[in-house]
Amino acid sequence: MTTHPQFRPALARRSSALSGKVRVPGDKSISHRALMFGGLAAGETRITGLLEGEDVLRTGEAMKAMGALVAREDNTWIIKGTGNGCLLEPDAPFDFGNAGTGSRLTMGLVGTYDMTTRFIGDASLSKRPMARVLDPLRQMGTQVLAAQAGDRLPITLRGPRHAAPISYRVPVPSAQVKSAVLLAGLNVPGVTTVIEPVMTRDHTEKMLAGFGARLDIETDGEGARHIRLEGQGRLSGQEITIPGDPSSAAFPLVAALLVPGSDITIENVLMNPTRTGLVLTLQEMGADIEIGNRRASGGEEVADLRVRSSELKGIAVPAERAPFMIDEYPVLAVAAAFAEGETLMQGLEELRVKESDRLSAVAAGLKANGADCTEGEDFLSVRGRPDGKDLGGGTVETHLDHRIAMAFLVMGLASEKAVTIDDRSMIATSFPEFMGLMAELGATFEPLDENAA
Ligand code: S3P
């Protein structure tokens, strides 16, 4: 195991049946956007259900550094925005920690302002490619004054006096790239167009329209979406209710499927169709997931998911579904390790540039715990053991990646032998309540460091 003074290892053992009703914290993607758009809009934005994870709080700090007022009163976050076009130059670098979404969207937001901004982050974020966002920004007139090799952090940007609107076809299926270009377009005269050949999560478009941006979306004959945004319009503060994050719900959900006798309900989960790929895939594998109480909340559909332990069978997961479940592959791979037969996951090239190289981190973690899998350039196939026999007994390197940590703690709840992870500290970036919530359901993880909390 890699040892590091700040690492906080943990261990998961086979659990007895999970039961109860829980709510997971607010959706991370929507939480980032709520703080950003609230900080930019004129007037007051009130947010309930905000994810108070480290990643999101850093976005709040960035908006404060550019003139927004951000405060929490009881369970409501109250933001007083600067008005579109009126962000101030920050005094210090933005430290985005582990947060890809926060850093990339903020680069877009500030990239067309005539000001200098500097971006820093942790070891994971500093390895991630930023060219995907800087390339379109350069076309709009942004100068990249400093960057590490391959357009990596630390990065210094200088916006142009007069930015130019562009029409940009997104070369990779990425909601972060789409969003960065649209946010850059907010401060540019004329119409900025993003062409998205493969649809990705649509929270930016939906929420910008809610804040009053003039934006229209058309799908062409080839299925590509053309999103046209009129720049320099007025954005007005909104009331926002943030639903539970399906990417966080994925962990208790898979745990309940794998631990025999379990019956849990996860309430108030976002059911936006660009986010429900995992639920659909697990249902195809034979999972007993009842989607009840579907209702509208804050402009999105939400539902309660009742999950009972199930015998899963392997399937081929369609590559086209990847954008709708991109963050869920680590925990799906764990589910596949307990399914009968082979599960083939294709179209996974984007997993290599997440908080870690998730494809290799997942394959290494599975192998360390006795699971039979094959890692390809852009695919993973897993041959499962329905009873978890001989699985476990290994230590997983998490590479500063919260979803690797949570996925393998889930594995240990159902495998014959315990599973250890080298570090659980990063879980706080997206799901600070994870350990406590799993304990409420009946699963207890064992912290392995001294002074453990
Ligand atoms: C996100 C988009 C996805 C996802 C990330 C959140 C967003 O990244 O993996 O966790 O909020 O826009 P990509 O845009 O790189 O696919």
Side-chain angles (χ1 to χ4, degrees):
M1 176 173 17
T2 321
T3 50
H4 187 282
Q6 269 110 51
F7 274 14
R8 303 170 74 209
L11 176 141
R13 286 186 206 285
R14 220 170 215 190
S15 173
S16 48
L18 306 180
S19 66
K21 273 192 184 148
V22 285
R23 279 183 176 229
V24 293
D27 186 71
K28 180 149 80 80
S29 293
I30 297 181
S31 294
H32 278 297
R33 288 158 173 84
L35 287 177
M36 291 179 87
F37 303 169
L40 187 63
E44 189 172 281
T45 289
R46 301 175 72 86
I47 310 170
T48 50
L50 187 84
L51 164 64
E52 293 173 354
E54 287 171 7
D55 278 13
V56 170
L57 296 179
R58 286 175 192 267
T59 292
E61 290 304 313
M63 296 313 296
K64 274 207 268 197
M66 292 188 287
L69 301 178
V70 179
R72 186 187 203 270
E73 272 176 32
D74 301 320
N75 290 328
T76 306
W77 284 79
I78 300 166
I79 321 293
K80 294 197 172 78
T82 59
N84 186 26
C86 302
L87 293 174
L88 302 175
E89 185 164 56
D91 293 333
F94 298 123
D95 183 352
F96 273 103
N98 195 250
T101 305
S103 57
R104 290 192 175 126
L105 267 56
T106 303
M107 283 180 199
L109 185 67
V110 303
T112 47
Y113 275 73
D114 181 13
M115 64 186 190
T116 302
T117 47
R118 203 167 135 72
F119 293 77
I120 58 174
D122 73 3
S124 155
L125 190 60
S126 303
K127 279 190 209 147
R128 299 182 69 181
M130 297 296 165
R132 51 182 55 203
V133 169
L134 298 186
D135 288 346
L137 287 179
R138 285 181 175 109
Q139 291 181 26
M140 295 171 108
T142 310
Q143 290 178 67
V144 179
L145 296 183
Q148 295 303 301
D151 278 343
R152 289 180 165 75
L153 262 47
I155 283 174
T156 307
L157 300 181
R158 174 86 215 177
R161 278 266 167 79
H162 303 287
I166 58 170
S167 173
Y168 191 69
R169 196 178 174 90
V170 184
V172 280
S174 164
Q176 292 177 356
V177 176
K178 163 176 68 179
S179 303
V181 178
L182 289 172
L183 297 191
L186 286 174
N187 193 40
V188 176
V191 175
T192 295
T193 306
V194 175
I195 303 165
E196 186 180 49
V198 176
M199 187 174 181
T200 60
R201 66 190 69 194
D202 59 355
H203 308 305
T204 297
E205 303 90 294
K206 277 184 145 173
M207 290 178 72
L208 278 179
F211 274 84
R214 280 190 297 268
L215 164 138
D216 77 79
I217 304 172
E218 233 181 288
T219 304
D220 69 21
E222 266 115 52
R225 295 171 80 232
H226 295 239
I227 308 158
R228 294 187 199 87
L229 171 85
E230 210 178 298
Q232 299 184 331
R234 183 184 159 84
L235 301 180
S236 314
Q238 297 297 304
E239 296 263 336
I240 302 176
T241 307
I242 303 182
D245 193 331
S247 300
S248 296
F251 300 103
L253 191 160
V254 169
L257 291 175
L258 300 182
V259 175
S262 298
D263 182 352
I264 70 164
T265 300
I266 312 170
E267 295 177 326
N268 195 42
V269 180
L270 172 69
M271 294 303 284
N272 178 310
T274 63
R275 303 290 300 283
T276 50
L278 176 75
V279 170
L280 182 61
T281 300
L282 289 168
Q283 285 176 328
E284 288 173 6
M285 293 171 78
D288 182 352
I289 305 171
E290 217 178 282
I291 304 174
N293 195 14
R294 279 187 184 266
R295 58 205 186 271
S297 170
E300 292 281 3
E301 194 182 344
V302 299
D304 300 338
L305 306 181
R306 180 168 182 192
V307 187
R308 280 168 276 204
S309 56
S310 310
E311 285 171 17
L312 302 178
K313 51 185 188 331
I315 60 163
V317 185
E320 314 81 74
R321 202 178 286 162
F324 301 160
M325 53 183 293
I326 193 67
D327 291 335
E328 281 66 84
Y329 283 99
V331 79
L332 175 63
V334 164
F338 294 84
E340 189 191 317
E342 180 175 66
T343 300
L344 176 62
M345 294 161 258
Q346 290 166 291
L348 304 191
E349 56 279 2
E350 278 294 302
L351 289 198
R352 297 215 179 266
V353 291
K354 294 296 176 188
E355 285 81 333
S356 67
D357 174 346
R358 277 191 184 151
L359 196 37
S360 77
V362 167
L366 288 176
K367 285 180 188 157
N369 286 289
D372 179 14
C373 67
T374 310
E375 175 192 350
E377 202 42 53
D378 64 351
F379 74 86
L380 180 68
S381 71
V382 180
R383 289 155 294 276
R385 284 170 195 258
D387 50 6
K389 187 152 170 37
D390 294 332
L391 292 182
T395 297
V396 177
E397 284 192 59
T398 52
H399 301 281
L400 297 177
D401 189 331
H402 53 132
R403 299 202 201 280
I404 299 294
M406 289 185 276
F408 282 96
L409 285 176
V410 167
M411 182 177 193
L413 297 178
S415 52
E416 188 183 25
K417 292 170 273 176
V419 172
T420 304
I421 59 166
D422 66 356
D423 185 23
R424 67 181 189 287
S425 45
M426 279 302 144
I427 292 174
T429 60
S430 70
F431 197 168
E433 303 85 339
F434 175 70
M435 298 279 189
L437 179 141
M438 294 302 292
E440 258 177 66
L441 293 172
T444 308
F445 303 120
E446 296 169 32
L448 295 178
D449 48 341
E450 287 162 30
N451 309 320

